Amino acid sequence: MSPDEIRRQLEFLRDMGIRDLYVSGQAAAPPPETFTPRRPEPTPTAAPPPPPVMQPSNLSLLPSIEPPDDSMEKIRQDIGDCKRCRLCEGRNKIVFGSGNEQSPVVFVGEGPGADEDVQGLPFVGRAGQLLTAMIENTAKKEGIPLQRPDVYICNVVKCRPPENRTPMPDEMEVCGQFLYRQLMAIRPKAICCLGSTASKALLGTKEGVMKLRGKWARWRDIPVMVTYHPSYLLRPYNQNAKREAWDDLKQLLHFVYD
Ligand code: URA
């Protein structure tokens, strides 16, 4: 196999959510519990939805470091000129996140790429342009007045991994604490995980996106919709997934904005 074919195969496996190419005999992590978030019934006698059950993830079981009076400003300050993991070595700019900090929906990607690293903003490269188009076009088609700046977008890791490799578990663990704080500070009505790194960080599962997408899960008490990462949708063999991603987004936006 040529190096190009090997790279394509590895990309394909990665897109499938397959990260480890060996089986150690360990049982796979169970898929996260899924649920259908309830909207209030139109009748005045409708029972309130049951309190959501906390969805523990490996990372969210770590001791909480969220200060009680947390804010996005404080999180930014605490990140500072971060040197907590090896990703600081190759980064140009820390990519904290962007958009409306009161947004009812937060999109979570994997980590900055080359364009994001230069600009210090998430999803500004090709994948970002697709994400913007997906959000704005789906909203428009569904009659929801929504532009990209109305939502909040951030990543699991805030510094670009070298060669755009997948963030390592220890990098996700360290930076994940800031992601959790961002999510708790915003407290959106729903979260959208873009791809398997985000779903792993928030749901604590190795289950691939194909299995997770289109169904509701939850992080703490917040409903989570998993969908494909826009980079995956840019690859020519994944055109069917585009339609599915549009469906996922439609479901998400109606839940949040109806
Ligand atoms: N991919 C991501 O996961 N995040 C970005 O910000 C850009 C590309």
Side-chain angles (χ1 to χ4, degrees):
M1 222 187 266
S2 73
D4 248 22
E5 281 167 336
I6 294 172
R7 189 179 43 74
R8 272 201 299 277
Q9 284 294 328
L10 288 173
E11 271 182 4
F12 178 74
L13 290 171
R14 187 187 135 157
D15 290 344
M16 300 291 115
I18 297 165
R19 305 289 166 140
D20 307 313
L21 294 180
Y22 59 88
V23 176
S24 68
Q26 283 177 333
E33 179 197 349
T34 58
F35 79 117
T36 306
R38 303 197 177 175
R39 289 213 227 98
E41 299 288 330
T43 62
T45 53
V53 179
M54 183 172 154
Q55 174 68 57
S57 80
N58 297 342
L59 297 177
S60 60
L61 290 176
L62 290 170
S64 171
I65 53 156
E66 293 147 22
D69 56 345
D70 213 5
S71 67
M72 296 295 263
E73 194 41 51
K74 188 155 190 334
I75 302 165
R76 261 184 205 276
Q77 277 172 17
D78 287 351
I79 291 180
D81 184 24
C82 187
K83 301 268 192 295
R84 293 171 181 85
C85 85
R86 65 185 80 75
L87 294 184
C88 69
E89 290 161 17
R91 77 153 183 255
N92 181 33
K93 287 193 176 155
I94 291 175
V95 180
F96 181 75
S98 73
N100 173 8
E101 296 181 355
Q102 271 91 48
S103 172
V105 59
V106 175
F107 291 82
V108 181
E110 177 175 294
D115 297 305
E116 291 77 18
D117 177 62
V118 169
Q119 296 189 42
L121 292 169
F123 283 100
V124 289
R126 273 184 77 218
Q129 285 160 22
L130 178 59
L131 178 64
T132 306
M134 286 169 66
I135 294 170
E136 296 191 349
N137 296 344
T138 309
K140 191 168 176 200
K141 212 162 155 216
E142 297 303 306
I144 300 166
L146 185 72
Q147 298 288 304
R148 171 175 165 151
D150 299 326
V151 304
Y152 195 79
I153 302 179
C154 60
N155 285 302
V156 177
V157 296
K158 314 297 186 207
C159 297
R160 183 192 181 195
E163 314 295 331
N164 297 337
R165 67 156 168 75
T166 306
M168 292 180 180
D170 60 331
E171 296 158 358
M172 288 169 61
E173 195 167 295
V174 171
C175 227
Q177 296 293 335
F178 296 112
L179 171 65
Y180 299 155
R181 285 177 61 187
Q182 286 174 300
L183 294 172
M184 291 309 276
I186 297 173
R187 284 215 133 272
K189 190 171 168 189
I191 297 167
C192 183
C193 284
L194 301 166
S196 59
T197 297
S199 56
K200 202 183 279 182
L202 294 184
L203 305 179
T205 176
K206 286 187 175 172
E207 199 68 74
V209 172
M210 272 187 185
K211 283 246 174 76
L212 297 171
R213 63 148 290 273
K215 296 184 281 265
W216 289 101
R218 72 195 102 179
W219 175 76
R220 301 190 180 175
D221 60 349
I222 304 176
V224 172
M225 174 62 66
V226 175
T227 194
Y228 296 107
H229 192 286
S231 304
Y232 175 83
L233 302 175
L234 285 171
R235 299 187 188 144
Y237 56 84
N238 295 330
Q239 292 314 294
N240 280 345
K242 266 196 179 163
R243 188 182 28 80
E244 293 178 326
W246 252 267
D247 285 346
D248 301 340
L249 219 50
K250 220 158 80 176
Q251 205 185 153
L252 172 78
L253 295 183
H254 279 299
F255 172 69
V256 172
Y257 291 99
D258 279 1

